[in-house]
Amino acid sequence: MATERLDNFTDAAFAFAVSLMVIGGAGAPENFDALVGQLGDLPAFAFGFAVMAMFWMSHVRWRAVRGEGDWLSTLLTLVLIFLTLVYVQPLRAMASATGLWFTGHGRMFGGSLAGLFAVYGTGFVAMSLTMVALWSEPLRDAELTAEGRGNVTGERGIWLILAVTGLASILMTMTAYGKWAAMLYASLPLTIGLFVWRHDWEGKAA
């Protein structure tokens, strides 16, 4: 029951974070022009929603593997919840800037883009490293099968790639090319795709 309540808390935290990014804010549009303007935020919302869903779905998969867990599982999940509620604001700003960049619709971020990417990257790396720790935790189970170990190390490897990419983006913000730092995330489909292709998911080498 304690695990179920913790997972309900996790679900609620992610749902609340997504609700903070809802297009148009809390108010309903008062006319057609306002409606069209709010729909212009749709790409930004889709981006933020996808990022949050990525973390949430990984935690769901982790729970299916880990089961009830112990105090360390609980602690890491609480850390993830805390970071989610903190991370949602830079994610919202990042999503809006990204939507404006690709579609021309959305709200302009006032201030340093490099600073925005650095703050966003810090949250992204912190959450990704928390997922790395969560996926490392089941490896303590001596009864984990070879295939299960392959799946767990595979998931952990993907989050390591995400964390390293975020760290590289943060470092790039400290250079003259800081306003392009977010473009490093575009390399993720390639790097993760290569890892998924090469990784021993069935644990045959174990």
Side-chain angles (χ1 to χ4, degrees):
M1 183 176 293
T3 299
E4 182 178 354
R5 294 188 65 183
L6 179 61
D7 288 345
N8 290 338
F9 185 27
T10 305
D11 295 344
F14 275 98
F16 176 70
V18 169
S19 71
L20 291 178
M21 297 186 295
V22 66
I23 59 174
E30 298 178 352
N31 52 59
F32 181 76
D33 291 338
L35 174 62
V36 172
Q38 289 186 3
L39 289 178
D41 291 335
L42 182 59
F45 174 72
F47 172 81
F49 180 85
V51 173
M52 280 297 177
M54 177 180 68
F55 283 100
W56 176 76
M57 291 177 66
S58 183
H59 187 269
V60 171
R61 293 194 302 272
W62 167 82
R63 177 62 75 187
V65 172
R66 186 63 181 93
E68 184 175 348
D70 55 14
W71 68 270
L72 182 57
S73 306
T74 300
L75 176 61
L76 290 173
T77 297
L78 290 174
V79 170
L80 180 65
I81 293 171
F82 172 79
L83 292 174
T84 298
L85 297 176
V86 173
Y87 174 65
V88 64
Q89 291 302 340
L91 172 61
R92 187 179 182 184
M94 177 73 169
S96 181
T98 303
L100 182 62
W101 174 273
F102 285 106
T103 68
H105 296 284
R107 291 180 292 273
M108 176 69 71
F109 178 77
S112 169
L113 281 179
L116 168 63
F117 297 154
V119 173
Y120 168 84
T122 300
F124 184 82
V125 169
M127 289 187 68
S128 296
L129 289 177
T130 302
M131 295 307 305
V132 170
L134 280 168
W135 280 106
S136 297
E137 209 250 340
L139 297 175
R140 299 184 301 156
D141 186 359
E143 298 181 359
L144 190 65
T145 65
E147 182 176 358
R149 191 170 296 272
N151 286 328
V152 168
T153 55
E155 292 274 3
R156 182 182 63 176
I158 290 174
W159 284 107
L160 275 172
I161 293 172
L162 289 164
V164 169
T165 302
L167 180 59
S169 177
I170 295 173
L171 294 176
M172 190 173 176
T173 63
M174 303 176 186
T175 70
Y177 303 97
K179 65 180 182 179
W180 303 99
M183 299 304 293
L184 286 179
Y185 294 100
S187 67
L188 287 172
L190 176 61
T191 54
I192 292 178
L194 288 173
F195 174 81
V196 170
W197 175 50
R198 297 293 298 172
H199 180 69
D200 178 22
W201 292 94
E202 297 181 356
K204 293 179 180 178

